[in-house]
Amino acid sequence: MSEDKIIDGKAFAAGLRERIGRETARLKAEHDLVPGLAVVLVGENPASQVYVRNKARQTAEAGMRSFEHKLPPETGQDELLALIDKLNNDPKVNGILVQLPLPDQISEQAVIDAIDPDKDVDGFHILNVGRLSTGATGASAPLIPCTPLGCIMLLKDRLGSLSGLNAVVIGRSNIVGKPMAQLLIRESCTVTVAHSRTRDLPAVARGADILVAAVGRPAMIKADWIKPGATVIDVGINRVPVEGEDGKTRIVGDVDTQAALEVAGAITPVPGGVGPMTIAVLLANTLTAACRQKGIEPPEL
Ligand code: NDP
């Protein structure tokens, strides 16, 4: 097994954050513009609290303004929508992210619908989804969901052009699977989207030059599901117990990484692959959103 098969998302994300930091400094110097990201957390989900803390820290490190809004678990939908309305109208806020999942009394759809599409740095608003699927460009270009956009950046960095390659995406969620498929279509791949009802999934997966796993099942994808030389992107984040160590857990992906390394051409590890890309791309989206709101051409990152 060779080290160069590992796609180092952690290092790529660090480089991306550095470029974002430079462009942010340039925006301030040339346009007196400091991009601002508002992150809203409702409730006390421990994983969400960690994500929000990391987002705030990395936003500040990139030279952007970070606005944190922590609301109690019993917050009502109207109260959250009122906050979103305030953020939509605040010129210092260029990007808005509401951390999911939300408590049961709040409709995620109502919240996503309420965010100004130009500030929707998660890319979940129906207008951004539509713009991505229709291939809109220029002033109508979409804001694109962070995790799949990060996956595409890693793929293009490793493979160059993706044109004509067979891509299989396992998972069809609105957050990862579907936008991933749209982005691969945009790169001129031939795309198959598989899910829990797919028949003979191993055979479908074996047709892939690019295999993206976004399922949420630890080590589900085995070595014999992978075409020799394929590039494997493991989006899964699964917490599993450490054998023989009571109460201890570790994070694994959807792919049996050690076995897959014998067959695949390249693979993202978990942790250290796709995970670190998500926040870096969130910052990139905030920068892009800020530029577009001020009529400035967003930088190539
Ligand atoms: P969802 O639970 O929303 O979607 C999972 C998808 O996997 C569904 O489409 C489901 O099919 C499919 N699926 C479930 N079981 C099987 C099976 N046995 N065979 C084939 N397909 C199956 O998850 P998300 O898309 O939100 O997340 C997927 C994974 O990615 C999770 O582990 C999550 O933690 C991780 N993640 C990582 C991020 C990162 O930053 N790296 C960001 C976001 C997510 P069906 O539609 O038929 O039910």
Side-chain angles (χ1 to χ4, degrees), residues 145-162:
C146 303
T147 301
L149 183 53
C151 294
I152 284 286
M153 287 179 180
L154 293 178
L155 280 167
K156 287 170 78 169
D157 182 58
R158 173 61 63 141
L159 298 174
S161 168
L162 311 183

Side-chain angles (χ1 to χ4, degrees), residues 104-174:
D104 291 346
Q105 73 274 18
I106 301 177
S107 149
E108 285 187 1
Q109 194 57 58
V111 169
I112 291 168
D113 287 348
I115 296 172
D116 177 347
D118 293 339
K119 296 189 176 184
D120 167 38
V121 281
D122 255 341
F124 295 159
H125 191 282
I126 198 96
L127 195 71
N128 284 315
V129 176
R131 285 172 165 173
L132 176 60
S133 68
T134 55
T137 54
S140 302
L143 286 163
I144 297 170
C146 303
T147 301
L149 183 53
C151 294
I152 284 286
M153 287 179 180
L154 293 178
L155 280 167
K156 287 170 78 169
D157 182 58
R158 173 61 63 141
L159 298 174
S161 168
L162 311 183
S163 179
L165 296 177
N166 278 335
V168 174
V169 180
I170 312 181
R172 55 174 165 178
S173 71
N174 290 335

